[in-house]
Amino acid sequence: MVGGGVVGLLIAYLCAKIPGTRVTVADTDPGRAKLAQAFGCCFALPESCPPSQDLVFHASASAQGLDTALSAAGKEAAVVEVSWYGASTVPVALGGPFHSQRLKIVSSQVGTIPPDRRNRWSFDRRLSAALSLLNDPVLDLLISDRMSFEDLPDQLPAFLTEPQGGLAAVVEYPEPSARLPHPLELDV
């Protein structure tokens, strides 16, 4: 797993639950090592990423991370690209080992289910499975911040842009008795 953000750590957590697997989270932030270990994974800085892996997930959303993922993939292995780049163009090193090792880059898209699984995996079944997986208290380690709904305009921009910012924030909404008025209820 290259990229130890929320998505990368959740994928690593799930993969580590598969019997017989050994999962390494590679990230530039050594502070993610404790999280990786709590999720049952090993940790490595990108330059120490173990080579010859059977399958590599990439979630760093950076060209350097994709290079790391490709260099960690073993012969004829696949790199599953789960990063979201938006409209950005990302250079990919497709020379050298990419061809000689017969590597594959597989796109991951979470918005739809493959046609051969849609009949069995309804929205309700997927939601039920996701909610049951969230029952593991170790996942609470992903929550790094708490913000009140009223403070979001002031706190959220810094949370989202600081290079070593938190992983996930819980938004605390006002009590129902202290709810914010609906715009139509305001005297303007």
Side-chain angles (χ1 to χ4, degrees):
M1 177 78 250
V2 176
V6 172
V7 172
L9 286 167
L10 285 172
I11 292 169
Y13 165 83
L14 291 172
C15 290
K17 300 266 183 218
I18 300 170
T21 62
R22 179 182 170 107
V23 178
T24 299
V25 174
D27 196 89
T28 57
D29 180 358
R32 301 289 161 90
K34 287 183 181 181
L35 282 169
Q37 291 164 355
F39 287 0
C41 304
C42 300
F43 179 83
L45 293 170
E47 59 272 13
S48 303
C49 196
S52 299
Q53 299 301 298
D54 297 321
L55 180 65
V56 182
F57 289 89
H58 174 243
S60 80
S62 72
Q64 298 86 355
L66 183 54
D67 284 345
T68 299
L70 287 168
S71 67
K75 186 171 185 169
E76 298 182 353
V79 171
V80 179
E81 179 58 78
V82 299
S83 299
W84 172 248
Y85 296 99
S88 301
T89 300
V90 180
V92 181
L94 297 180
F98 180 77
H99 285 288
S100 66
Q101 298 294 311
R102 297 174 47 108
L103 301 179
K104 298 169 206 68
I105 299 175
V106 180
S107 172
S108 172
Q109 208 294 328
V110 297
T112 60
I113 298 293
D116 63 331
R117 296 187 187 128
R118 284 185 192 146
N119 290 333
R120 294 183 315 282
W121 282 92
S122 66
F123 176 81
D124 289 342
R125 183 178 178 197
R126 293 190 321 264
L127 180 61
S128 177
L131 291 175
S132 71
L133 289 168
L134 289 174
N135 281 330
D136 189 341
V138 74
L139 294 176
D140 290 347
L141 295 173
L142 292 172
I143 299 170
S144 57
D145 294 88
R146 293 186 176 278
M147 299 176 200
S148 70
F149 180 75
E150 294 86 3
D151 294 336
L152 282 181
D154 296 327
Q155 294 180 351
L156 195 57
F159 176 80
L160 294 174
T161 58
E162 289 180 11
Q164 298 300 321
L167 285 171
V170 170
V171 177
E172 296 173 335
Y173 291 90
E175 294 296 321
S177 61
R179 72 173 181 81
L180 298 174
H182 188 277
L184 295 177
E185 298 172 344
L186 298 173
D187 290 326
V188 222

